[in-house]
Amino acid sequence: MSRAQVELPPQIQVFERGWLSSNNILLRQGALATLVDSGYVSHAAQTLQLVRSGLDGRRLQTLVNTHCHSDHMGGNARLVREFGCTVVVPQGYAQILHEWDEQALLLSSANQRADRFQPDACIGPGDELEMGGLAWRTLAAPGHDMHALMFYCAERRLLISGDALWNDGFGIQFATVLGTADALAATRATLDAIARLDLQTVIPGHGPPFADVDAALARAFARADMLAEDAERMARSALRALFVFNLLEFRSLRRDDLPAYLAGVPIFRLLNDRYFRRSYDDLAAGLVRDLVRGGAITVDGGLVAIARAS
Ligand SMILES: [Zn+2]
């Protein structure tokens, strides 16, 4: 758990962001650099600032996305405008990005935003790429996102895992929640694949890099089991995570407006139709109760807001 144990090659710099924006990983090589993931669109100015300071005069040549959710690619357009970098995305996103399918990108459907961009190249499982002067192999990482990729550097026993493995868990299992595919089975297969790698350090999409990979894998497998056993619990967890994500962007929402808000966002409506079948007044009340109890939000003066650590 301790950050002191985690040592990264000197040419790799991780900008640890939070939840609205994913981490940004800068890999420098001579006068050039590659960035993995670009954060959320409303944080793009900060992303630009961090990247520019990390570049320290180098040229950002390539931007690679582990997957194309709003918190990982929301800064792409801005970075391309600024640096003229080449954008490389998982091959499963080629058509979706070409059409800018806001539903498949979970933008319109989850009330999230991103500036439109077009990829210059696609990569898939088994592809080799060089980042930061190191050789990386691209691995499939279906589960949280069925098109997601991870990047493995055997020489340094390093994995860039995106949202397939965090120190504590992994991202929302969208395909299972939405009923379009078995994300949980895919997640298990992805975790199995990670377990077979010779690993020293994982750089996740959110949270600090970590070295105790076995413990993280054990937590992730346990979470996958728990979610598989209780579909409603999985749906509640997805509802909470997606709502908190919205709130991180909007800062606050009027408590009185919450039922109508939930009813107006397609993915919340779908979750309610599929798993809860409650009135939106009830759904809002339960959601607020859960999140206040968990310390994630506060309700004050009729406003629902993210709880700030004091
Ligand atoms: Zn994601």
Side-chain angles (χ1 to χ4, degrees):
M1 294 287 285
S2 153
R3 235 179 268 196
Q5 294 169 3
V6 175
E7 230 178 274
L8 295 172
Q11 68 269 41
I12 299 181
Q13 191 173 8
V14 179
F15 300 113
E16 191 192 333
R17 302 297 292 275
W19 293 99
L20 184 62
S21 278
S22 70
N23 294 338
N24 319 119
I25 304 153
L26 189 66
L27 303 101
R28 295 174 293 238
Q29 181 192 11
L32 303 174
T34 299
L35 186 74
V36 177
D37 287 341
S38 68
Y40 194 74
V41 64
S42 60
H43 286 171
Q46 192 190 17
T47 304
L48 205 60
Q49 204 175 31
L50 290 167
V51 170
R52 197 180 280 127
S53 76
L55 284 170
D56 195 19
R58 293 172 187 82
R59 185 164 73 83
L60 184 66
Q61 187 177 37
T62 312
L63 169 58
V64 183
N65 292 119
T66 57
H67 62 300
C68 293
H69 285 165
S70 65
D71 53 332
H72 292 255
M73 58 73 167
N76 278 23
R78 184 78 179 265
L79 290 170
V80 168
R81 269 205 312 277
E82 187 71 17
F83 299 111
C85 50
T86 298
V87 179
V88 180
V89 301
Q91 61 193 15
Y93 273 102
Q95 191 63 20
I96 292 168
L97 289 169
H98 179 69
E99 293 166 4
W100 197 253
D101 180 343
E102 293 227 340
Q103 195 173 333
L105 289 167
L106 295 170
L107 295 173
S108 56
S109 48
N111 203 21
Q112 299 178 11
R113 295 182 299 125
D115 285 340
R116 185 168 184 164
F117 69 94
Q118 283 303 314
D120 300 291
C122 292
I123 42 171
D127 285 352
E128 306 278 343
L129 67 165
E130 196 184 311
M131 303 191 288
L134 298 168
W136 300 78
R137 186 154 43 91
T138 304
L139 304 172
H144 161 69
D145 181 294
M146 299 307 276
H147 306 306
L149 299 174
M150 309 182 284
F151 305 109
Y152 176 59
C153 174
E155 185 197 332
R156 299 301 178 101
R157 301 165 65 211
L158 248 175
L159 180 72
I160 294 174
S161 64
D163 291 349
L165 178 68
W166 299 331
N167 190 41
D168 192 7
F170 41 71
I172 296 170
Q173 302 290 289
F174 282 106
T176 295
V177 167
L178 302 174
T180 53
D182 191 345
L184 276 167
T187 279
R188 282 206 186 88
T190 296
L191 295 174
D192 281 333
I194 295 173
R196 286 194 294 271
L197 298 173
D198 178 19
L199 273 178
Q200 187 170 55
T201 307
V202 172
I203 305 175
H206 302 267
F210 57 88
D212 197 346
V213 183
D214 288 346
L217 281 168
R219 282 188 290 270
F221 276 116
R223 181 163 176 79
D225 289 345
M226 184 268 287
L227 295 175
E229 278 161 24
D230 191 342
E232 194 181 324
R233 187 167 171 185
M234 180 188 63
R236 266 204 314 276
S237 154
L239 173 68
R240 284 197 299 266
L242 285 163
F243 178 71
V244 165
F245 190 87
N246 287 160
L247 208 53
L248 282 166
E249 177 176 10
F250 308 138
R251 307 299 195 139
S252 66
L253 288 167
R254 278 167 38 88
R255 171 65 185 86
D256 288 349
D257 294 341
L258 264 197
Y261 178 78
L262 294 175
V265 176
I267 201 161
F268 295 143
R269 220 166 38 234
L270 184 144
L271 281 166
N272 195 28
D273 291 348
R274 218 172 127 79
Y275 295 97
F276 312 121
R277 297 179 203 88
R278 293 160 70 178
S279 74
Y280 283 93
D281 284 337
D282 267 11
L283 192 69
L287 178 63
V288 166
R289 199 186 320 113
D290 280 359
L291 288 173
V292 167
R293 194 186 297 147
I297 66 167
T298 57
V299 184
D300 195 17
L303 288 179
V304 177
I306 294 289
R308 296 276 164 221
S310 54

